[in-house]
Amino acid sequence: MWRATIHVVAPGFITIALGSGLAAWNNFLIALVFLTSPGKTPASISLHAFHQGFSQNDALIAAAGMFMLVPMVLLFVALQRRFVAGLTAGSFVG
Amino acid sequence: MTTLAVYFLAPMVIFVFSALNPLGAPHHWLWSDFVTVWNQADIGTGLKNSAIITLGTMVGVCFIAGCASYSMARLNLPGANGVIIYLIATIAFPVQLFLVPLFYLWVHLHLFSTLPGVIVIYWAVNSPFAALLLPLFMVGWPADWRSRLALTAPARSA
């Protein structure tokens, strides 16, 4: 019974987790306003500060951006596979 | 499908190329840039904080939206339509509108410049849409699903 329930709702939960997680990871404005102490800044603000310091060196800025890009791409690929599997396997036998 | 994949992957490939070697395709791979960036931009702390914020947001939004959408989709509570209209109205307002009062409130509550404070803001920003989306996965599910499942699979449920 629980397995059937989870199969039906899991794609929905994965979708909202992915959407809100991506929004939280990429958010700039709220992070910039509400996280000002040096040790508390998220990756988006670190990247912004680095970008302002090294605005001539494109390779360094792109390398810094890679650090922010890669975890989300990996998470998206991992969850996308389960999302599609949940959609195809989750049909209710009624 | 392939065209679409190329369309979305091309900017990322250009990004990787320019990270390894600026101006065109890389002749020799310059991995030293990544070490330099890791040491100078304090990326480790940034990634750790981002991971905490993202995980906290994901778990919290799933909990809040799960409770809200279950009660809206399955419990037939009075006033559910009013709640849906309230959620749509919440999405319609931009975050910038609340920024200044929220700043003063967060300073007073000692949540300013703390990770939990930001996670709570992200819950509030992301939950309304999630609470509107998630009921769609629950309403298609028949109300008497327990008895139906017991009829179709008696051996498993017994």
Side-chain angles (χ1 to χ4, degrees), chain A residues 42-61:
Chain A
S44 54
I45 304 301
S46 304
L47 181 62
H48 174 67
F50 186 71
H51 174 70
Q52 296 212 313
F54 287 83
S55 51
Q56 296 90 358
N57 197 331
D58 282 344
L60 280 185
I61 291 161

Side-chain angles (χ1 to χ4, degrees), chain A residues 27-36 42 44-45 48, chain B residues 122:
Chain A
N27 197 306
F28 183 74
L29 177 71
I30 293 175
L32 185 69
V33 174
F34 285 92
L35 289 173
T36 49
S44 54
I45 304 301
H48 174 67
Chain B
Y122 289 156

Side-chain angles (χ1 to χ4, degrees), chain A residues 1 4-5 8-9 11-13 15-18 20-21 23-25 27 29-31 33-44 46 50 54 58-69 71-73 75 79 92-94, chain B residues 12 15-16 18-19 22 33-34 36-38 40-43 45-47 49-51 53-54 57-58 61-62 65-66 95-96 99 102-103 106 112-115 118 121-122 125-126 130 133-134 137-138 141-142 145-146 148-149 152:
Chain A
M1 289 237 183
T5 316
V8 173
V9 226
F13 274 103
T15 309
I16 63 167
L18 201 60
S20 56
W25 184 273
N27 197 306
L29 177 71
I30 293 175
V33 174
F34 285 92
L35 289 173
T36 49
S37 336
K40 298 283 174 64
T41 52
S44 54
S46 304
F50 186 71
F54 287 83
D58 282 344
L60 280 185
I61 291 161
M66 288 293 297
F67 281 115
M68 199 182 154
L69 173 76
M72 270 299 119
V73 171
L75 180 74
L79 282 182
F92 198 84
V93 188
Chain B
M12 283 193 216
F15 194 49
V16 174
S18 70
D33 276 357
F34 287 93
T36 314
V37 165
W38 184 272
Q40 290 196 16
D42 207 10
I43 292 283
T45 319
L47 286 180
N49 288 335
S50 272
I53 292 171
T54 306
T57 307
M58 280 175 156
V61 167
C62 278
V95 188
Q96 288 89 329
L99 213 57
L102 200 61
F103 179 85
W106 252 228
F112 179 68
S113 204
T114 60
L115 295 182
V118 171
I121 298 174
Y122 289 156
V125 171
N126 292 308
L133 185 73
L134 203 52
F137 290 87
M138 296 181 175
W141 186 14
W145 65 280
R146 284 174 197 279
R148 285 207 200 185
L149 199 67
T152 52

Side-chain angles (χ1 to χ4, degrees), chain B residues 61-75 77 83 87 127-128 130-132 134-135 138:
Chain B
V61 167
C62 278
F63 179 74
I64 295 168
C67 293
S69 54
Y70 181 78
S71 57
M72 283 193 292
R74 311 295 302 175
L75 296 183
L77 295 175
V83 173
L87 289 177
S127 298
L132 285 174
L134 203 52
M138 296 181 175

Side-chain angles (χ1 to χ4, degrees), chain B residues 5-18:
Chain B
V6 169
Y7 181 75
F8 280 99
L9 281 176
M12 283 193 216
V13 171
I14 293 169
F15 194 49
V16 174
F17 278 0
S18 70

